[in-house]
Amino acid sequence: MPNAELLELYARGLGVIDEARVEFGPGLNVITGETGAGKTLLLGALTLCLGADAGSTRHALGDDVRVAAVLRDRDGDEVVFGRESGAARRVRSTLNGVATSAEALRVAGAALVTIHGQHDSLTLRNRSDVLTLLDGFGDVDTGELDRTRRRISEATRRREVLGGDEASRQRELELVNFQLEEIEAANLTSANELDEALELLRVWSSARDGRVAVIEVIESLDGDDEGAVLASFARAVGVVAPLAGLEETVATLRAALASARDAVHELREFVDRDEVDPETLARLETRVDVLQRLARKYGGSVAEVFRTRETLERERDRLTNAHSEVIALDQELEDLQSREATLAAAVRRDRERAATAFCAALGAQLPRVALAGAAVRVEVNGADGSEVQLLFTPNPGRPEGPVQALASGGELSRLLLAVALVGVSDGVVTVFDEVDAGIGGQVAEQIGDCLAEVARDRQVLAVTHLASVAARADHQFVIEKRTVAGATTTTVREVSGPDRVSEIARMLAGDHRSEEARALAERMLSAAS
């Protein structure tokens, strides 16, 4: 897979940099220039693009500042990282022109660029980074261990789905059985049973209410009460019957009385024919109450009660069968955990061997990066050896300790260069900020050789003030600061040919016009090519 590459870096209004645009190339790229010209500030622009805190002292964004970096990822696609601030100093982050967060820039940038600086680098201070480095160096294969752990997680989740522990599963089964017994006790006949029962109850209730009304009419017309209408009617007819001259009238009244009694007789027959059994009606009312209560409790209708019963039956079967399944899962988990322990022990041994080999290889490189008296050791702990820590001793006879506690900024930068020499390339752009600070002479030449060696399989950027390092570069960029009419401006340009000879001579003697320095610069460039 192709390596990532920084194609272009742009900065405007950042510190002493009014505006700069740098197009980098493959291999080793170095940035040189006089002290204070803004070499490290240019790398600060890159750090900002990759999501660094815009409010920090070293990378603060003022008014009207814009930085952008164009990188090519390992798939060959260009990715544009951007940060800018306006008059209110509100910082806006963009990724491929789309507004995003600083965290998103950090995540995307971490896969493409690693910056090793005296102030910014966290590599080797983070245990996970040390572990990744160790596994890559030793070709430690954790695939089978990882797969076994995933199977353990899956088996554990399946066991939880089956009801967890036996007591919890039993409580759940008891609830399911209770609900099923409640539903089954109702002896449901159909999903429409409630509707049909309600309609029958309406009809029977209406008939019952009508019969009561008719009985009341019968009692009022011809009941045993002396005040019944027909009894009063008969007494009235008896009063007028003896009177002379009313024979026809009395006959008419007696005929009306007979007709009324016939009508009452028909009413009695109606009541006897349509009589509703109170016990039957009470049973129907009770049935409706049972059906309505179940419907309210299990879904709102009898049809839903049927569906709930099916669901509960399946759940009962699952829980009933869970016991045997849990036993099988417990055995599977026991076997997997035993296998995990075996695999973890094997991975730890591989990591311990890798740590020994890594420290030996790294130790061989330390003299080349001006750490001749230093020593490193990787401490491996944990069942699978994943609890690792890089321990560092800066000088013989001194106690060792975590690299983040004992290594100075310069020592950490050079240690990271040594790691890059022995580690497996991850294909990301590697940036070294003043890795050669505080050294010179033969050691400086060694640093240049080391940077060139690392740049054989990845793109490297380095800020340097040493000519012997700059001479080894594939591309050299000079930052120059000029003051014109009281205004200071900074420019960045790539140098080659005579201009590069002049810059190397300036780095050697402080004067690019010195013939001796120019001659030495030409020899250094010729030897490096």
Side-chain angles (χ1 to χ4, degrees):
M1 182 179 290
N3 291 338
E5 186 174 348
L6 176 62
L7 303 177
E8 182 179 304
L9 181 62
Y10 174 82
R12 185 193 68 204
L14 184 65
V16 295
I17 300 177
D18 284 343
E19 186 170 33
R21 187 184 303 275
V22 186
E23 295 181 358
F24 296 99
L28 176 58
N29 296 258
V30 298
I31 300 172
T32 63
E34 294 182 354
T35 301
K39 298 186 296 298
T40 299
L41 192 60
L42 190 62
L43 288 191
L46 175 60
T47 305
L48 285 168
C49 290
L50 301 178
D53 180 9
S56 68
T57 302
R58 300 179 63 247
H59 299 137
L61 288 178
D63 298 341
D64 194 25
V65 176
R66 182 173 184 269
V67 293
V70 181
L71 289 109
R72 183 166 54 232
D73 64 21
R74 301 183 70 181
D75 293 325
D77 299 322
E78 289 190 3
V79 186
V80 182
F81 296 74
R83 304 287 288 285
E84 59 183 83
S85 64
R89 296 197 177 189
R90 294 185 61 181
V91 180
R92 180 172 179 265
S93 303
T94 59
L95 188 63
N96 288 330
V98 178
T100 187
S101 64
E103 177 60 25
L105 293 181
R106 284 192 288 272
V107 171
L112 302 176
V113 181
T114 296
I115 298 179
H116 300 321
Q118 295 189 26
H119 305 281
D120 302 304
S121 178
L122 295 177
T123 305
L124 299 186
R125 300 180 182 183
N126 188 312
R127 293 192 177 194
S128 64
D129 289 338
V130 176
L131 183 63
T132 299
L133 179 66
L134 189 64
D135 286 352
F137 177 85
D139 197 22
V140 177
D141 183 6
T142 64
E144 186 61 26
L145 176 60
D146 294 338
R147 286 189 291 272
T148 299
R149 285 174 171 170
R150 285 195 296 271
R151 290 180 62 191
I152 290 174
S153 296
E154 291 166 2
T156 302
R157 283 195 298 270
R158 291 203 307 273
R159 195 183 188 286
E160 291 173 353
V161 168
L162 289 173
D165 62 84
E166 183 64 29
S168 298
R169 190 166 53 255
Q170 188 61 38
R171 286 193 297 271
E172 188 175 354
L173 180 59
E174 289 174 359
L175 176 60
V176 169
N177 282 331
F178 171 80
Q179 293 173 321
L180 274 174
E181 289 170 3
E182 185 178 35
I183 293 173
E184 290 168 353
N187 293 317
L188 302 176
T189 59
S190 72
N192 298 321
E193 184 180 0
L194 178 57
D195 294 335
E196 294 169 353
L198 284 170
E199 177 60 21
L200 186 58
L201 180 61
R202 184 190 66 78
V203 172
W204 284 7
S205 297
S206 177
R208 179 194 60 190
D209 295 343
R211 181 175 177 276
V212 170
V214 171
I215 290 173
E216 290 177 354
V217 170
I218 291 172
E219 289 298 318
S220 66
L221 289 174
D222 196 20
D224 295 333
D225 189 355
E226 291 183 359
V229 173
L230 293 186
S232 298
F233 194 178
R235 285 194 299 273
V237 172
V239 170
V240 299
L243 298 177
L246 294 177
E247 291 80 3
E248 291 184 6
T249 301
V250 170
T252 300
L253 290 172
R254 284 176 174 168
L257 178 60
S259 296
R261 282 176 172 160
D262 289 342
V264 169
H265 179 71
E266 291 177 0
L267 287 175
R268 291 186 189 281
E269 289 182 345
F270 169 80
V271 169
D272 292 341
R273 182 179 69 247
D274 293 336
E275 182 177 2
V276 178
D277 181 12
E279 292 184 2
T280 302
L281 186 59
R283 285 195 297 270
L284 180 60
E285 289 175 338
T286 300
R287 181 63 175 173
V288 167
D289 182 66
V290 168
L291 295 173
Q292 287 179 328
R293 180 172 52 81
L294 284 177
R296 285 194 299 270
K297 189 172 182 179
Y298 297 110
S301 69
V302 175
E304 284 299 324
V305 176
F306 273 98
R307 281 189 281 272
T308 299
R309 183 173 66 181
E310 294 174 357
T311 300
L312 289 171
E313 287 172 345
R314 289 193 297 271
E315 184 67 6
R316 179 180 60 188
D317 293 341
R318 183 188 69 79
L319 290 169
T320 301
N321 297 329
H323 180 69
S324 58
E325 293 184 49
V326 166
I327 292 175
L329 278 173
D330 285 343
Q331 183 61 54
E332 181 183 355
L333 280 168
E334 184 179 344
D335 294 342
L336 286 171
Q337 287 163 353
S338 175
R339 178 166 178 75
E340 179 196 22
T342 300
L343 291 170
V347 168
R348 172 165 178 159
R349 289 193 295 271
D350 290 343
R351 283 173 168 158
E352 288 172 340
R353 284 193 291 268
T356 300
F358 175 75
C359 291
L362 188 59
Q365 298 295 334
L366 293 181
R368 298 181 62 194
V369 295
L371 292 172
V376 292
R377 182 174 66 88
V378 177
E379 186 176 64
V380 179
N381 291 303
D384 60 358
S386 61
E387 298 174 14
V388 297
Q389 183 174 218
L390 185 64
L391 301 176
F392 179 70
T393 306
N395 298 295
R398 303 298 299 172
E400 68 177 7
V403 65
Q404 64 268 30
L406 296 186
S408 67
E411 288 170 337
L412 180 61
S413 295
R414 294 195 296 278
L415 183 58
L416 287 163
L417 176 56
V419 168
L421 288 168
V422 303
V424 178
S425 174
D426 51 9
V428 302
V429 178
T430 304
V431 180
F432 293 96
D433 183 5
E434 297 194 18
V435 68
D436 53 9
I439 61 174
Q442 181 64 34
V443 174
E445 293 184 13
Q446 292 175 182
I447 293 293
D449 292 340
C450 292
L451 288 170
E453 185 175 329
V454 173
R456 291 173 188 167
D457 59 11
R458 74 192 82 176
Q459 186 189 44
V460 174
L461 273 66
V463 172
T464 183
H465 64 282
L466 296 177
S468 54
V469 174
R472 296 302 309 272
D474 299 296
H475 307 275
Q476 182 174 355
F477 302 87
V478 178
I479 295 186
E480 298 172 314
K481 185 168 62 175
R482 293 188 177 90
T483 302
V484 179
T488 301
T489 60
T490 294
T491 60
V492 184
R493 61 189 178 96
E494 183 173 6
V495 293
S496 60
D499 287 344
R500 188 175 184 190
V501 172
S502 295
E503 174 61 11
I504 297 293
R506 181 200 64 76
M507 298 175 73
L508 286 168
D511 184 359
H512 68 276
R513 294 169 297 184
S514 167
E515 291 299 325
E516 291 182 0
R518 292 185 67 86
L520 179 56
E522 289 177 347
R523 288 197 299 272
M524 292 176 65
L525 289 168
S526 177
S529 61

